[in-house]
Amino acid sequence: VQLMETGGGLVHPGGSLTLSCAASGFSVSADYMSWVRQAPGKGLEGVSFIYHDGTTYYADSVKGRFTISRDNSKNTLYLQMHSLRADDTAVYYCARAEVIGAGHFFDYWGQGTLVTVSS
Amino acid sequence: DIQMTQSPSSLSASVGDRVTITCRTSQNVRTYLNWYQQKPGKAPTLLIYDASTLQSGIPSRFSGSGSGTDFTLTISSLQPEDFATYYCQQSYIKPPCTFGQGTYLEIK
C-alpha cells in the first residue's frame, strides 16, 4: 500500500489549489479516505473525509471552501481548496482509514505535501 | 464538540525509562481511541488502535489501555528511536475524528 500526495505549493490568499493523492495496493473507492493537515509546529487536524459510499465530511474550518473527491479509474483522491487563507498553511496528508465497528484508525499515510498561503 | 486532552504536553525521559501518556476525552468514545507516533518531517505512524490493540510491526514495549473517557499509552522501556511526538485520536464521535494536541517526548 502506498499513498503519494502532489499539488502543494505557494498560493496567494483567496486563491485555489487542488491536491492529489495517488494510491496503490488498494482501491480508494472501497475504503474510507481522508485528508489530515498539520500547520507548522502544530498538531494534527482532520480536514475532510469520504466514505466508500461517497458520504463526505468536512471540518468546520474548511466547510464550504474545500471539496473532497475521488477518481476510481485513476485510483486517486483529491482535495479542491478555494478561498484559501493564511491559516490553511500546513502539510496536508492523505490517509487511509480501516473501519472497525463504529470507529476507524488511519493505517496508511502519504508523505505529505506543503501548502503555503501567503502574499 | 468533543474535547481531547493529552498530558503531559511534553516529557523528558531517559533510555530505559517507563513512560505513560494519558488522553482524556470529554465524551464517552468507548474504546475507539488510537495512538500515533510522529517524528520530525515524517507522517504519523499508527501504534495502537481500539485503545489496546498493537498495530502489526510495532514493538511490544508499546501498550495501550482504557475505555470511555480515560486512556493511557505506555512505553515500558524507552529506546532511542522512541523520542518523538505522540498523538491520540478518537473515531467514535462524529464528525469523523479528533486528535489530541500531542505529547512531545524528549531525551533527558
Side-chain angles (χ1 to χ4, degrees), chain B residues 36-71:
Chain B
Y36 300 86
Q37 177 194 70
Q38 187 180 34
K39 296 182 178 179
K42 300 294 186 181
T45 298
L46 177 69
L47 300 174
I48 302 284
Y49 64 91
D50 200 24
S52 61
T53 304
L54 191 66
Q55 171 68 343
S56 175
I58 300 301
S60 59
R61 62 181 180 273
F62 291 92
S63 64
S65 65
S67 66
T69 61
D70 292 289
F71 302 86

Side-chain angles (χ1 to χ4, degrees), chain B residues 67-87:
Chain B
S67 66
T69 61
D70 292 289
F71 302 86
T72 60
L73 171 70
T74 299
I75 310 173
S76 60
S77 178
L78 274 175
Q79 299 301 300
E81 60 269 27
D82 299 338
F83 292 95
T85 301
Y86 293 84
Y87 294 93

